[in-house]
Amino acid sequence: MSAVAERTTIQVRPLTPVIGAEISGVDLRQPLDAATVAILKAAIHQWRVLFFRDQPITDAQQLAFGRAFGPLTPAHPIAEGLDDHPEIWQRKAAEYKSRRPDVTVPSAPPPRDNKGWHIDITFVANPNRYTILRGIDIPAYGGDTLFANLVRAYDGLSEPIKRLIDPLKTVHRTSGYDRAGSGKARRDGRATGPFVSLHPLVRIHPETGEKVLFVNPGTTSHIVGLKEPESRGILEMLINEITRPEYQVRFHWSPHALVLWDNQAVAHAGPIDYAHFDLPRVVRRITVAGELPQGPDGFRSQALEGELFNVLG
């Protein structure tokens, strides 16, 4: 089959009106040509998160897929990746329990925890652009992931609130959860934090120009220049906004599934029910390098403590 004929088989099937689409008709074991990458980029900017099923790829093929969208970062600013692939961060469901020892069954999340909702790695000044997560060992049930559209969350705010938050800046810092298990030195000699960064509360999407509500539950500590009760009240209101069900899509994992999402415009939570099941669940994640977020007033994020998220290539 010719490359042109193969490209015509790509199908984008939206899952909700506001976020999420399943992609079929592409084999991720094969290198992606420029036209295919362009189709996928257009889809991710429209639907924010793309789901690929039945993709039995190797670690090397996952890395090649990621590099089609830009340079890759190390696995994580604090934790290290696999010995043979430092770009890959492997996560097991059991680790969520060990890193959140306060979680038991039944449980109630601590204040502002919001059941694990977050944007990836915003405690650095240059969070990753895209995240690519691949299922390795997937249970028959449980372990679902939720995704929320942060552009729609901003759009849903009233105009007076938009005017209030557009110029505001926030501090993002590593939490106790981020630092858990980070006591040992890295093999590559890089510092393991702490990391603290100054970000706009609203960022401009660098590819689409849209305004994005850029608040990260558990990592955004406060709004600069406001009194503590004011900061807490506004952040709680905005966190409630980004976790509204109408901005979400829920993904039920299956063997050999892979998810690509726009970390510049998406918050996610998962596995959302890790405290309630003991089945094995293993995923491997890579991240595509991003840039310093920019606010509506032109302000660009700044590192207050710790290094930038570097690039491996």
Side-chain angles (χ1 to χ4, degrees):
M1 180 182 293
S2 70
V4 172
E6 185 176 353
R7 287 199 300 273
T8 61
T9 67
I10 297 177
Q11 296 182 351
V12 179
R13 184 173 72 87
L15 298 180
T16 82
V18 300
I19 183 172
E22 284 206 357
I23 305 297
S24 59
V26 59
D27 184 351
L28 301 187
R29 295 171 296 182
Q30 305 301 321
L32 302 182
D33 59 29
T36 300
V37 173
I39 292 171
L40 295 179
K41 281 188 175 180
I44 198 171
H45 292 152
Q46 180 175 5
W47 299 109
R48 314 299 176 186
V49 54
L50 306 181
F51 305 111
F52 302 78
R53 296 195 184 273
D54 301 317
Q55 299 287 344
I57 63 175
T58 64
D59 290 343
Q61 288 166 338
Q62 182 178 3
L63 294 174
F65 175 70
R67 291 190 181 102
F69 297 90
L72 300 183
T73 70
H76 194 276
I78 300 175
E80 289 196 278
L82 302 180
D83 289 344
D84 52 348
H85 292 300
E87 306 93 338
I88 296 177
W89 196 29
Q90 178 168 283
R91 302 301 313 277
K92 299 180 180 180
E95 295 172 352
Y96 288 88
K97 291 184 179 181
S98 65
R99 296 175 73 180
R100 289 188 185 272
D102 57 314
V103 176
T104 57
V105 181
S107 67
R112 292 192 57 220
D113 181 74
N114 288 280
K115 296 183 179 179
W117 278 100
H118 65 285
I119 309 167
D120 280 340
I121 315 174
T122 66
F123 50 78
V124 298
N126 57 333
N128 58 293
R129 179 170 301 208
Y130 302 120
T131 300
I132 300 167
L133 193 63
R134 164 177 149 242
I136 301 297
D137 193 357
I138 299 300
Y141 56 88
D144 293 0
T145 305
L146 300 176
F147 300 88
N149 185 334
L150 301 180
V151 174
R152 288 299 185 103
Y154 176 85
D155 289 344
L157 296 171
S158 65
E159 290 303 319
I161 295 296
K162 290 178 182 177
R163 290 194 296 270
L164 171 68
I165 68 173
D166 273 1
L168 296 179
K169 314 296 185 292
T170 59
V171 171
H172 294 223
R173 61 178 70 246
T174 45
S175 65
Y177 176 75
D178 296 314
R179 292 191 297 269
S182 63
K184 63 180 182 179
R186 291 178 63 108
R187 296 187 301 270
D188 60 10
R190 296 182 67 86
T192 59
F195 294 89
V196 183
S197 294
L198 182 65
H199 288 301
L201 181 52
V202 176
R203 70 175 295 184
I204 302 299
H205 194 288
E207 282 111 356
T208 68
E210 297 164 296
K211 289 184 176 180
V212 181
L213 189 53
F214 189 38
V215 59
N216 193 352
T219 299
T220 304
S221 65
H222 64 281
I223 299 173
V224 176
L226 299 189
K227 296 178 180 179
E228 194 277 335
E230 297 169 339
S231 172
R232 184 178 65 249
I234 292 173
L235 288 177
E236 288 181 352
M237 175 192 67
L238 297 178
I239 289 169
N240 287 336
E241 193 71 18
I242 69 174
T243 56
R244 285 173 56 172
E246 59 263 47
Y247 301 141
Q248 297 177 21
V249 65
R250 179 169 181 158
F251 183 63
H252 177 64
W253 288 85
S254 57
H256 305 303
L258 179 143
V259 183
L260 164 66
W261 70 87
D262 184 354
N263 193 55
Q264 303 160 123
V266 169
H268 68 284
I272 58 173
D273 51 4
Y274 66 88
H276 298 268
F277 72 98
D278 295 315
L279 298 173
R281 180 187 186 273
V282 181
V283 294
R284 290 184 175 176
R285 187 191 80 179
I286 61 174
T287 48
V288 177
E291 59 189 47
L292 296 173
Q294 180 175 325
D297 59 357
F299 170 81
R300 285 197 177 272
S301 297
Q302 300 172 0
L304 302 180
E305 190 172 354
E307 303 170 308
L308 294 178
F309 203 9
N310 66 319
V311 173
L312 291 178

